[in-house]
């Protein structure tokens, strides 16, 4: 059974600080997606990474896919209150099944 | 461009009642999905469809039914509501097989069974 473990579960930091959240598995994924979900809304796709070692940047957000395609990280530089939300990673396995991690709940304090 | 639209936004059901959660997408996506999200438990796949007329069970299908008569619509039916079905339900669609390059989600239906 493929599992995606996200850490930390919760993170509360001051505005302006940097942070990194992680998505780890013992299984290999053909691609990995990151979503942000705000209260009362559905998840919104931020990025998809498909190549081992790939790094993608979305303004202050940097996403990295591990070389072995088993893990990923999301780094936020100079966090803003608008970054508050639930961050979900989702991996596509060899059988094309998509599995979701349980998420990291991020709270940026003003 | 509306994307994925879900109705209703909120609903309270009594045990044993039935209801249909509506989902429609205007992106001409072949692939559609129903998930439920419980606190601290992530998203669990209920049912999915790879095209009109084709549906299949996901991880947690018991107590639910779906149909896919058109590309646009993918309703989820609860026949005999139980408290265990209290959850937030999300419909999603994608243009690639099993959403390997990302899903578009609706804004969800919050269902409470009392």
């Amino acid at each position: 059974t493929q599992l995606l473990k996200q850490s930390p579960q919760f993170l509360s930091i001051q505005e302006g600080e940097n942070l990194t959240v992680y998505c780890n598995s013992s299984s290999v994924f053909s691609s990995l997606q990151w979503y942000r979900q705000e209260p009362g809304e559905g998840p919104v796709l931020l990025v998809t990474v498909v190549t081992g070692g790939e790094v993608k940047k979305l303004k202050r957000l940097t996403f990295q896919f591990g070389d072995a395609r088993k893990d990923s990280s999301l780094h936020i530089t100079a966090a803003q209150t608008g970054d508050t939300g639930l961050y979900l990673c989702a991996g596509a396995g060899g059988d094309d099944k998509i599995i979701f991690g349980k998420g990291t709940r991020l709270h940026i304090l003003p | 461009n509306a994307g994925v639209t879900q109705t209703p936004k909120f609903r309270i059901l009594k045990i044993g009642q039935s209801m249909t959660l509506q989902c429609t997408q205007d992106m001409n996506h072949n692939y559609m999905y129903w998930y439920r999200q419980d606190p601290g438990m992530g998203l669990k796949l209920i049912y999915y469809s790879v095209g009109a007329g084709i549906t299949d069970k996901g991880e947690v299908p018991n107590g639910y039914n779906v149909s896919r008569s058109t590309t646009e619509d993918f309703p989820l039916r609860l026949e005999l509501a139980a408290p265990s079905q209290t959850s937030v339900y999300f419909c999603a669609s994608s243009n690639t097989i099993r959403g390997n390059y990302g899903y578009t989600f609706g804004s969800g239906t919050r269902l409470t069974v009392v």
Side-chain angles (χ1 to χ4, degrees):
Chain A
T1 303
Q2 293 179 312
L3 292 173
L4 271 174
K5 183 176 181 181
Q6 292 191 244
S7 60
Q9 272 188 284
F10 304 96
L11 184 59
S12 182
I13 64 169
Q14 291 291 139
E15 195 170 28
E17 293 184 356
N18 302 331
L19 66 106
T20 303
V21 298
Y22 301 92
C23 176
N24 294 292
S25 176
S26 58
S27 303
V28 175
F29 293 101
S30 58
S31 67
L32 196 137
Q33 306 152 21
W34 283 93
Y35 295 82
R36 179 168 64 215
Q37 184 178 16
E38 298 186 16
E41 297 296 328
V44 175
L45 181 69
L46 296 173
V47 76
T48 300
V49 286
V50 298
T51 305
E54 182 176 4
V55 176
K56 281 192 173 179
K57 292 193 175 185
L58 186 65
K59 296 183 181 178
R60 295 174 294 101
L61 278 61
T62 302
F63 304 86
Q64 184 161 10
F65 201 13
D67 291 340
R69 291 184 289 131
K70 294 183 179 181
D71 53 82
S72 181
S73 63
L74 159 58
H75 181 81
I76 300 179
T77 303
Q80 299 177 356
T81 55
D83 296 326
T84 291
L86 178 67
Y87 287 80
L88 296 164
C89 66
D95 58 0
D96 290 331
K97 287 189 176 178
I98 303 291
I99 61 168
F100 282 84
K102 295 182 180 181
T104 292
R105 192 165 295 281
L106 178 63
H107 187 204
I108 309 301
L109 302 166
Chain B
N1 194 347
V4 177
T5 302
Q6 290 183 239
T7 57
K9 185 77 171 172
F10 303 95
R11 184 71 186 269
I12 298 175
L13 278 183
K14 293 185 178 179
I15 294 172
Q17 286 186 321
S18 301
M19 76 164 294
T20 299
L21 283 66
Q22 301 292 345
C23 174
T24 187
Q25 53 95 4
D26 62 0
M27 298 170 285
N28 202 34
H29 286 171
N30 283 326
Y31 307 95
M32 296 188 73
Y33 317 83
W34 275 105
Y35 284 89
R36 59 178 287 172
Q37 186 177 40
D38 300 303
M41 296 302 294
L43 287 158
K44 294 194 181 294
L45 182 64
I46 305 171
Y47 269 96
Y48 67 96
S49 169
V50 301
I54 307 169
T55 62
D56 207 348
K57 296 177 180 179
E59 185 181 358
V60 290
N62 291 343
Y64 307 95
N65 275 300
V66 293
S67 59
R68 186 94 182 272
S69 57
T70 66
T71 298
E72 294 77 21
D73 299 308
F74 190 41
L76 178 71
R77 178 85 177 158
L78 282 70
E79 290 293 347
L80 291 169
S84 61
Q85 294 177 306
T86 292
S87 188
V88 182
Y89 292 85
F90 289 101
C91 179
S93 72
S94 69
N95 60 355
T96 58
I97 186 169
R98 303 302 292 272
N100 285 9
Y101 291 92
Y103 292 163
T104 300
F105 282 87
S107 58
T109 295
R110 182 175 294 276
L111 175 67
T112 302
V113 182
V114 297

